[in-house]
Amino acid sequence: MIYKKECLAMLLAGGQGSRLYALTNKIAKPAVPFGGKYRIIDFTLSNCINSQIDTVGVLTQYQPLLLNEYIGNGQPWDLDRLYGGAFILQPYQAKESSDWYSGTANAIYQNLHFIDRYNPNNVLILSGDHIYKMDYSKMLAFHNNSKADITIAVIDVQPSEASRFGIMTVDNQNNITQFAEKPKNPTSTLASMGIYIFNAQVLRKYLKEDEENPTSTKDFGKDIIPKMLKDKAVMKAYPFSGYWKDVGTLDSLWEANMDLLGDKPAFDLSEGSWKIHSRNQLQPPQSIGGNATIKNALISGGCEIDGEVYSSIIGNDVIIKKGAVVRDSILFDGVVVESDAVVEYSIIDENVTVSNKAKVGEAKTSAKGITVVGRGIQIGAKTVIKAGSIVEKDM
Amino acid sequence: MNAVGIIFSNMHDNNVPELTRSRTMASVPFGGRYRMIDFALSNMVNSHISKVGVITRNNYQSLMDHLGSGKDWDLARKNGGLIILPPFGDEGSTTLYKSRLEALKGVSAFIDRSTEEYVILSDSDNICNIDIEKIFKYHMDNQADITVVCKTDNIEDGTCRVVTGYKCDKNNCITDVCSPLGAVGKATVGINLYVIKRTLLASLIRDAAARGESSFELDIIGKNLDKLKIIAYEHDGVFFIISNMQKYLECNLAMLDKKVRDELFNLPYRAIYTKVKDSPPTRYTNNAKVINSFIADGCEIDGMVENSIIFRDVKISKGSEVRNSVIMQNTYIGSNSSLNYCVTDKNVVVRSGRTLSGCEIQPYFLIKNSLL
């Protein structure tokens, strides 16, 4: 229905995710599969619609094709709307001054016309590469009540981890008094989650100013927020407590997937009524054979499992044949593990075939690192892939 | 194929009355994640039929909830799409229609208003994956007036009471109709899928109504064997007739056979579509022990499952054992319980320490929302 939008979301999904190596050779990080049947972006998109934000601009840039096709008209997330909905916003050619997005702030700046079309009161800036469930409407209510220029969602992190994040210092009324990007000696443990709610007019003002500043790196965390602090803008920190994981490295992606397992998972997908929606669910139920052993695993639709699966996350349409062993691993859609093959502590991309008696990776306890096999690769019979390898061609 | 589809959702409700107490035969859950009508609907959509009328008679709330706008079958369209056809009686009529013919009479307006040249009639309990385009080509190549899709098989007791038998000559022209078949043994039976020209169907219905006739098989087909070219098309693939609760269990358990699965679910460009529910993937704990089973999304398996069909969002607790059973959506099996040859309807709760056992020819059935 046509009414003035309270808040519109801009989802930054253009990053390359270079620390995911082979997994992001052909797709953007937010399109990387997660939890068997999802893609990383499903979490932020679902959070939006569950928080009644029905207008989401998804800013893509690096290898956007799969992401664009996956999002489509937004229908799986209820984002195919009469007024609003999901929109892919890619860099475009224009008569003057347009270019590839040169930073997070520049990406939003180049799409101000999209925001203007809906003329919302507030703009929610999100990134598409975190795993978490969050009700943004609560943060919005907090922001509106505080009459803030910007509200930044923050989460308490371990002191040992603090220097990896943008750290906020706040007073007892949640006003942000200090901000340091990846500080060597952090003065607090409140980390920025990269989730900002801006008053729309304030956002517009700062983006325009920043665009005119030739020394700016066009980044929210490095440029816009420090400038707002300097100008003594009304900046509030919104504390979030709950599961939140950045999945930008192979280790963190693996850990976050494993957090879905266990007798009491750290992140229980089936808990509560906050549904995570996704596209492509045409598979029949999974079929478990007479020789299968499955312990501590998440298995998606259409799979044919006749081998052994331990502590692993299995995507759609995966075939694990009799005698095969998969342990501590993540298999994306369409992977085939032939008889007597062994896959340990690995991330196997879509449609890979691991042939008979091949051995990919090593036991987690002794392995040097996670083994990654890229999309569509064929691993020949009896081939041994050492732990920590990144396989990008047939072996 | 210039055809409109019509699906009957309440035919054979009486086959499995335990399951159709509060739902149509069309919305009876099957195969872990489907409802019966998904097969008939998907078959139509896969053959590029983009307009389908679903005739309903009673208890069709859950069917309407399942079908929605038809978008899960790509039938939420501006042109054509899915149309639900609730009962429509003449002025003064107080009873719902009883037969296929009466149902068609009730949707005469839909048939008349359609512009497609042909009509594909289908029941909603056809468990099969069938290429309707191939049947249509056969119909056209043979210049038939009506094509009746059949299957020759060994018909058991129970089933013989609910199927229609056909006899054909060597040109596949139907020479005799026997409804119900009534006798066990090898026979050619209709799978309740027909191809007929729309205008012919409309006039046959009008004539039959004018004569007070009531059976599609005996009157429309049986009485016109000499006047029209009515031929049989033999479907040689997998086809399940759910004639009673025993057959319901048996046909569900057939999903455990890879050959059956491949024929129903793995044919290229002929997927079976169903309503999407966004359940998370099924989680197996360290106590899980699963052998030879067919398990849908959203489940939590903490116990033992053998030779069973487990629907969505089922929880099987530690120490429990489920064998040879069909466990429908949202059922909770408490710890240390044992189920053997059971069929549990939706939302059943079986608390800890229960032992429930049926046998192959008489499964133990728990109705929807039971609490044990």
Side-chain angles (χ1 to χ4, degrees), chain A residues 251-282:
Chain A
D251 284 327
S252 57
L253 180 67
W254 186 91
E255 280 161 21
N257 270 285
M258 293 304 154
D259 282 341
L260 302 171
L261 296 176
D263 288 337
K264 279 210 158 15
F267 188 46
D268 191 348
L269 284 173
S270 54
E271 186 247 344
S273 57
W274 199 262
K275 262 226 175 113
I276 302 298
H277 306 284
S278 66
R279 190 186 277 280
N280 298 339
Q281 297 175 57
L282 303 177

mmCIF file of all heavy atoms in Angstrom, chain A residues 251-282:
data_model
loop_
_atom_site.group_PDB
_atom_site.id
_atom_site.type_symbol
_atom_site.label_atom_id
_atom_site.label_comp_id
_atom_site.label_asym_id
_atom_site.label_seq_id
_atom_site.Cartn_x
_atom_site.Cartn_y
_atom_site.Cartn_z
ATOM 1 N N ASP A 251 37.760 -19.461 8.564
ATOM 2 C CA ASP A 251 37.588 -19.958 9.931
ATOM 3 C C ASP A 251 36.261 -19.524 10.528
ATOM 4 O O ASP A 251 35.543 -20.328 11.119
ATOM 5 C CB ASP A 251 38.730 -19.457 10.834
ATOM 6 C CG ASP A 251 40.025 -20.214 10.586
ATOM 7 O OD1 ASP A 251 39.943 -21.415 10.262
ATOM 8 O OD2 ASP A 251 41.103 -19.615 10.709
ATOM 9 N N SER A 252 35.933 -18.229 10.365
ATOM 10 C CA SER A 252 34.691 -17.754 10.992
ATOM 11 C C SER A 252 33.474 -18.329 10.271
ATOM 12 O O SER A 252 32.459 -18.611 10.895
ATOM 13 C CB SER A 252 34.630 -16.222 11.045
ATOM 14 O OG SER A 252 34.749 -15.684 9.747
ATOM 15 N N LEU A 253 33.575 -18.529 8.951
ATOM 16 C CA LEU A 253 32.461 -19.134 8.211
ATOM 17 C C LEU A 253 32.245 -20.563 8.705
ATOM 18 O O LEU A 253 31.109 -20.993 8.940
ATOM 19 C CB LEU A 253 32.755 -19.142 6.702
ATOM 20 C CG LEU A 253 31.662 -19.752 5.821
ATOM 21 C CD1 LEU A 253 30.400 -18.899 5.842
ATOM 22 C CD2 LEU A 253 32.138 -19.908 4.375
ATOM 23 N N TRP A 254 33.324 -21.295 8.879
ATOM 24 C CA TRP A 254 33.233 -22.678 9.359
ATOM 25 C C TRP A 254 32.648 -22.715 10.768
ATOM 26 O O TRP A 254 31.738 -23.468 11.069
ATOM 27 C CB TRP A 254 34.629 -23.315 9.315
ATOM 28 C CG TRP A 254 34.640 -24.768 9.639
ATOM 29 C CD1 TRP A 254 34.527 -25.807 8.774
ATOM 30 C CD2 TRP A 254 34.765 -25.345 10.942
ATOM 31 N NE1 TRP A 254 34.576 -27.006 9.451
ATOM 32 C CE2 TRP A 254 34.714 -26.755 10.769
ATOM 33 C CE3 TRP A 254 34.914 -24.828 12.227
ATOM 34 C CZ2 TRP A 254 34.818 -27.642 11.847
ATOM 35 C CZ3 TRP A 254 35.010 -25.712 13.293
ATOM 36 C CH2 TRP A 254 34.954 -27.101 13.096
ATOM 37 N N GLU A 255 33.171 -21.833 11.643
ATOM 38 C CA GLU A 255 32.694 -21.810 13.036
ATOM 39 C C GLU A 255 31.205 -21.468 13.106
ATOM 40 O O GLU A 255 30.457 -22.084 13.865
ATOM 41 C CB GLU A 255 33.451 -20.761 13.848
ATOM 42 C CG GLU A 255 34.809 -21.227 14.312
ATOM 43 C CD GLU A 255 35.702 -20.050 14.702
ATOM 44 O OE1 GLU A 255 35.160 -18.948 14.983
ATOM 45 O OE2 GLU A 255 36.924 -20.219 14.709
ATOM 46 N N ALA A 256 30.806 -20.474 12.328
ATOM 47 C CA ALA A 256 29.404 -20.052 12.375
ATOM 48 C C ALA A 256 28.496 -21.189 11.925
ATOM 49 O O ALA A 256 27.424 -21.413 12.490
ATOM 50 C CB ALA A 256 29.182 -18.820 11.503
ATOM 51 N N ASN A 257 28.917 -21.943 10.921
ATOM 52 C CA ASN A 257 28.132 -23.093 10.485
ATOM 53 C C ASN A 257 28.044 -24.119 11.611
ATOM 54 O O ASN A 257 26.986 -24.661 11.895
ATOM 55 C CB ASN A 257 28.765 -23.744 9.240
ATOM 56 C CG ASN A 257 28.245 -23.145 7.947
ATOM 57 O OD1 ASN A 257 27.123 -23.415 7.535
ATOM 58 N ND2 ASN A 257 29.034 -22.303 7.317
ATOM 59 N N MET A 258 29.174 -24.374 12.259
ATOM 60 C CA MET A 258 29.189 -25.375 13.337
ATOM 61 C C MET A 258 28.373 -24.920 14.550
ATOM 62 O O MET A 258 27.896 -25.741 15.325
ATOM 63 C CB MET A 258 30.634 -25.688 13.750
ATOM 64 C CG MET A 258 31.409 -26.389 12.641
ATOM 65 S SD MET A 258 30.586 -27.914 12.098
ATOM 66 C CE MET A 258 31.193 -28.054 10.432
ATOM 67 N N ASP A 259 28.190 -23.603 14.697
ATOM 68 C CA ASP A 259 27.367 -23.087 15.790
ATOM 69 C C ASP A 259 25.910 -23.523 15.664
ATOM 70 O O ASP A 259 25.116 -23.370 16.598
ATOM 71 C CB ASP A 259 27.420 -21.543 15.826
ATOM 72 C CG ASP A 259 28.706 -21.028 16.460
ATOM 73 O OD1 ASP A 259 29.374 -21.798 17.183
ATOM 74 O OD2 ASP A 259 29.040 -19.836 16.227
ATOM 75 N N LEU A 260 25.541 -24.049 14.487
ATOM 76 C CA LEU A 260 24.172 -24.492 14.275
ATOM 77 C C LEU A 260 23.945 -25.905 14.807
ATOM 78 O O LEU A 260 22.821 -26.392 14.834
ATOM 79 C CB LEU A 260 23.847 -24.492 12.770
ATOM 80 C CG LEU A 260 24.002 -23.162 12.043
ATOM 81 C CD1 LEU A 260 23.858 -23.368 10.545
ATOM 82 C CD2 LEU A 260 22.976 -22.164 12.521
ATOM 83 N N LEU A 261 25.044 -26.561 15.195
ATOM 84 C CA LEU A 261 24.967 -27.959 15.614
ATOM 85 C C LEU A 261 25.094 -28.117 17.115
ATOM 86 O O LEU A 261 25.395 -27.169 17.818
ATOM 87 C CB LEU A 261 26.103 -28.759 14.956
ATOM 88 C CG LEU A 261 26.075 -28.871 13.440
ATOM 89 C CD1 LEU A 261 27.317 -29.591 12.962
ATOM 90 C CD2 LEU A 261 24.836 -29.605 12.986
ATOM 91 N N GLY A 262 24.928 -29.349 17.551
ATOM 92 C CA GLY A 262 25.135 -29.639 18.970
ATOM 93 C C GLY A 262 23.809 -29.873 19.661
ATOM 94 O O GLY A 262 22.750 -29.567 19.122
ATOM 95 N N ASP A 263 23.852 -30.403 20.853
ATOM 96 C CA ASP A 263 22.609 -30.674 21.565
ATOM 97 C C ASP A 263 21.888 -29.383 21.921
ATOM 98 O O ASP A 263 20.669 -29.328 21.928
ATOM 99 C CB ASP A 263 22.900 -31.510 22.825
ATOM 100 C CG ASP A 263 23.263 -32.946 22.451
ATOM 101 O OD1 ASP A 263 22.880 -33.376 21.353
ATOM 102 O OD2 ASP A 263 23.937 -33.614 23.238
ATOM 103 N N LYS A 264 22.642 -28.342 22.197
ATOM 104 C CA LYS A 264 22.039 -27.027 22.402
ATOM 105 C C LYS A 264 22.825 -26.036 21.538
ATOM 106 O O LYS A 264 23.777 -25.425 21.991
ATOM 107 C CB LYS A 264 22.136 -26.620 23.888
ATOM 108 C CG LYS A 264 21.058 -27.248 24.738
ATOM 109 C CD LYS A 264 20.670 -26.393 25.926
ATOM 110 C CE LYS A 264 19.293 -26.686 26.494
ATOM 111 N NZ LYS A 264 18.620 -27.908 26.108
ATOM 112 N N PRO A 265 22.439 -25.881 20.260
ATOM 113 C CA PRO A 265 23.240 -25.062 19.340
ATOM 114 C C PRO A 265 23.394 -23.629 19.821
ATOM 115 O O PRO A 265 22.459 -23.066 20.408
ATOM 116 C CB PRO A 265 22.426 -25.090 18.042
ATOM 117 C CG PRO A 265 21.483 -26.225 18.179
ATOM 118 C CD PRO A 265 21.226 -26.401 19.628
ATOM 119 N N ALA A 266 24.577 -23.038 19.573
ATOM 120 C CA ALA A 266 24.802 -21.637 19.932
ATOM 121 C C ALA A 266 23.843 -20.745 19.152
ATOM 122 O O ALA A 266 23.388 -19.711 19.630
ATOM 123 C CB ALA A 266 26.251 -21.251 19.636
ATOM 124 N N PHE A 267 23.508 -21.156 17.933
ATOM 125 C CA PHE A 267 22.569 -20.413 17.110
ATOM 126 C C PHE A 267 21.559 -21.422 16.598
ATOM 127 O O PHE A 267 21.836 -22.174 15.684
ATOM 128 C CB PHE A 267 23.313 -19.723 15.955
ATOM 129 C CG PHE A 267 22.471 -18.777 15.149
ATOM 130 C CD1 PHE A 267 21.631 -17.859 15.764
ATOM 131 C CD2 PHE A 267 22.532 -18.780 13.760
ATOM 132 C CE1 PHE A 267 20.852 -16.973 15.022
ATOM 133 C CE2 PHE A 267 21.767 -17.901 13.003
ATOM 134 C CZ PHE A 267 20.928 -16.999 13.640
ATOM 135 N N ASP A 268 20.393 -21.462 17.220
ATOM 136 C CA ASP A 268 19.411 -22.477 16.873
ATOM 137 C C ASP A 268 18.443 -21.929 15.825
ATOM 138 O O ASP A 268 17.597 -21.096 16.128
ATOM 139 C CB ASP A 268 18.658 -22.895 18.143
ATOM 140 C CG ASP A 268 17.814 -24.140 17.916
ATOM 141 O OD1 ASP A 268 17.630 -24.531 16.747
ATOM 142 O OD2 ASP A 268 17.342 -24.714 18.909
ATOM 143 N N LEU A 269 18.579 -22.421 14.605
ATOM 144 C CA LEU A 269 17.748 -21.915 13.513
ATOM 145 C C LEU A 269 16.265 -22.163 13.746
ATOM 146 O O LEU A 269 15.415 -21.430 13.256
ATOM 147 C CB LEU A 269 18.144 -22.588 12.190
ATOM 148 C CG LEU A 269 19.425 -22.078 11.558
ATOM 149 C CD1 LEU A 269 19.787 -22.944 10.361
ATOM 150 C CD2 LEU A 269 19.263 -20.631 11.105
ATOM 151 N N SER A 270 15.947 -23.248 14.486
ATOM 152 C CA SER A 270 14.543 -23.595 14.611
ATOM 153 C C SER A 270 13.896 -22.952 15.824
ATOM 154 O O SER A 270 12.725 -23.120 16.077
ATOM 155 C CB SER A 270 14.387 -25.111 14.693
ATOM 156 O OG SER A 270 15.206 -25.588 15.736
ATOM 157 N N GLU A 271 14.666 -22.171 16.570
ATOM 158 C CA GLU A 271 14.129 -21.607 17.805
ATOM 159 C C GLU A 271 13.327 -20.339 17.522
ATOM 160 O O GLU A 271 13.745 -19.505 16.713
ATOM 161 C CB GLU A 271 15.306 -21.305 18.728
ATOM 162 C CG GLU A 271 14.908 -20.853 20.102
ATOM 163 C CD GLU A 271 15.282 -19.400 20.349
ATOM 164 O OE1 GLU A 271 16.096 -18.842 19.593
ATOM 165 O OE2 GLU A 271 14.735 -18.825 21.306
ATOM 166 N N GLY A 272 12.222 -20.210 18.147
ATOM 167 C CA GLY A 272 11.459 -18.976 18.056
ATOM 168 C C GLY A 272 10.694 -18.843 16.760
ATOM 169 O O GLY A 272 10.710 -19.707 15.888
ATOM 170 N N SER A 273 10.015 -17.697 16.609
ATOM 171 C CA SER A 273 9.169 -17.514 15.440
ATOM 172 C C SER A 273 9.815 -16.600 14.413
ATOM 173 O O SER A 273 9.191 -16.196 13.460
ATOM 174 C CB SER A 273 7.832 -16.925 15.894
ATOM 175 O OG SER A 273 8.107 -15.714 16.571
ATOM 176 N N TRP A 274 11.078 -16.261 14.570
ATOM 177 C CA TRP A 274 11.764 -15.367 13.628
ATOM 178 C C TRP A 274 12.272 -16.227 12.486
ATOM 179 O O TRP A 274 13.352 -16.773 12.539
ATOM 180 C CB TRP A 274 12.927 -14.686 14.362
ATOM 181 C CG TRP A 274 13.441 -13.444 13.717
ATOM 182 C CD1 TRP A 274 14.536 -13.341 12.909
ATOM 183 C CD2 TRP A 274 12.910 -12.123 13.844
ATOM 184 N NE1 TRP A 274 14.720 -12.033 12.531
ATOM 185 C CE2 TRP A 274 13.735 -11.262 13.088
ATOM 186 C CE3 TRP A 274 11.819 -11.576 14.525
ATOM 187 C CZ2 TRP A 274 13.507 -9.893 12.989
ATOM 188 C CZ3 TRP A 274 11.598 -10.216 14.435
ATOM 189 C CH2 TRP A 274 12.434 -9.395 13.666
ATOM 190 N N LYS A 275 11.494 -16.338 11.410
ATOM 191 C CA LYS A 275 11.848 -17.239 10.322
ATOM 192 C C LYS A 275 12.892 -16.636 9.397
ATOM 193 O O LYS A 275 12.833 -15.456 9.063
ATOM 194 C CB LYS A 275 10.605 -17.526 9.478
ATOM 195 C CG LYS A 275 9.934 -18.824 9.842
ATOM 196 C CD LYS A 275 9.573 -19.651 8.647
ATOM 197 C CE LYS A 275 9.022 -20.984 9.129
ATOM 198 N NZ LYS A 275 7.612 -21.158 8.828
ATOM 199 N N ILE A 276 13.826 -17.477 8.985
ATOM 200 C CA ILE A 276 14.777 -17.036 7.968
ATOM 201 C C ILE A 276 14.281 -17.610 6.647
ATOM 202 O O ILE A 276 14.170 -18.828 6.483
ATOM 203 C CB ILE A 276 16.203 -17.529 8.287
ATOM 204 C CG1 ILE A 276 16.639 -17.022 9.666
ATOM 205 C CG2 ILE A 276 17.179 -17.059 7.213
ATOM 206 C CD1 ILE A 276 16.721 -15.517 9.808
ATOM 207 N N HIS A 277 13.943 -16.731 5.704
ATOM 208 C CA HIS A 277 13.409 -17.157 4.416
ATOM 209 C C HIS A 277 14.530 -17.312 3.407
ATOM 210 O O HIS A 277 15.564 -16.678 3.509
ATOM 211 C CB HIS A 277 12.423 -16.113 3.888
ATOM 212 C CG HIS A 277 11.339 -15.797 4.858
ATOM 213 N ND1 HIS A 277 10.283 -16.639 5.089
ATOM 214 C CD2 HIS A 277 11.141 -14.727 5.670
ATOM 215 C CE1 HIS A 277 9.492 -16.101 5.995
ATOM 216 N NE2 HIS A 277 9.982 -14.952 6.366
ATOM 217 N N SER A 278 14.309 -18.158 2.412
ATOM 218 C CA SER A 278 15.302 -18.275 1.343
ATOM 219 C C SER A 278 14.616 -18.722 0.070
ATOM 220 O O SER A 278 13.452 -19.108 0.083
ATOM 221 C CB SER A 278 16.406 -19.254 1.739
ATOM 222 O OG SER A 278 15.876 -20.549 1.850
ATOM 223 N N ARG A 279 15.359 -18.715 -1.029
ATOM 224 C CA ARG A 279 14.790 -19.098 -2.321
ATOM 225 C C ARG A 279 15.156 -20.538 -2.645
ATOM 226 O O ARG A 279 16.034 -21.109 -2.048
ATOM 227 C CB ARG A 279 15.344 -18.171 -3.405
ATOM 228 C CG ARG A 279 14.658 -18.310 -4.744
ATOM 229 C CD ARG A 279 15.353 -17.463 -5.793
ATOM 230 N NE ARG A 279 14.958 -16.074 -5.789
ATOM 231 C CZ ARG A 279 13.836 -15.608 -6.345
ATOM 232 N NH1 ARG A 279 13.000 -16.444 -6.902
ATOM 233 N NH2 ARG A 279 13.571 -14.328 -6.312
ATOM 234 N N ASN A 280 14.505 -21.112 -3.613
ATOM 235 C CA ASN A 280 14.866 -22.444 -4.137
ATOM 236 C C ASN A 280 14.635 -23.576 -3.163
ATOM 237 O O ASN A 280 15.544 -24.041 -2.504
ATOM 238 C CB ASN A 280 16.350 -22.506 -4.544
ATOM 239 C CG ASN A 280 16.667 -21.530 -5.639
ATOM 240 O OD1 ASN A 280 15.778 -21.085 -6.353
ATOM 241 N ND2 ASN A 280 17.917 -21.180 -5.746
ATOM 242 N N GLN A 281 13.402 -24.009 -3.089
ATOM 243 C CA GLN A 281 13.157 -25.113 -2.178
ATOM 244 C C GLN A 281 12.348 -26.180 -2.878
ATOM 245 O O GLN A 281 11.288 -26.567 -2.442
ATOM 246 C CB GLN A 281 12.433 -24.604 -0.949
ATOM 247 C CG GLN A 281 13.314 -23.620 -0.202
ATOM 248 C CD GLN A 281 12.609 -22.998 0.954
ATOM 249 O OE1 GLN A 281 12.122 -23.674 1.831
ATOM 250 N NE2 GLN A 281 12.522 -21.679 0.954
ATOM 251 N N LEU A 282 12.866 -26.653 -3.994
ATOM 252 C CA LEU A 282 12.094 -27.597 -4.777
ATOM 253 C C LEU A 282 12.491 -29.039 -4.525
ATOM 254 O O LEU A 282 12.033 -29.925 -5.204
ATOM 255 C CB LEU A 282 12.302 -27.290 -6.262
ATOM 256 C CG LEU A 282 11.931 -25.867 -6.670
ATOM 257 C CD1 LEU A 282 12.251 -25.651 -8.129
ATOM 258 C CD2 LEU A 282 10.464 -25.611 -6.409
#
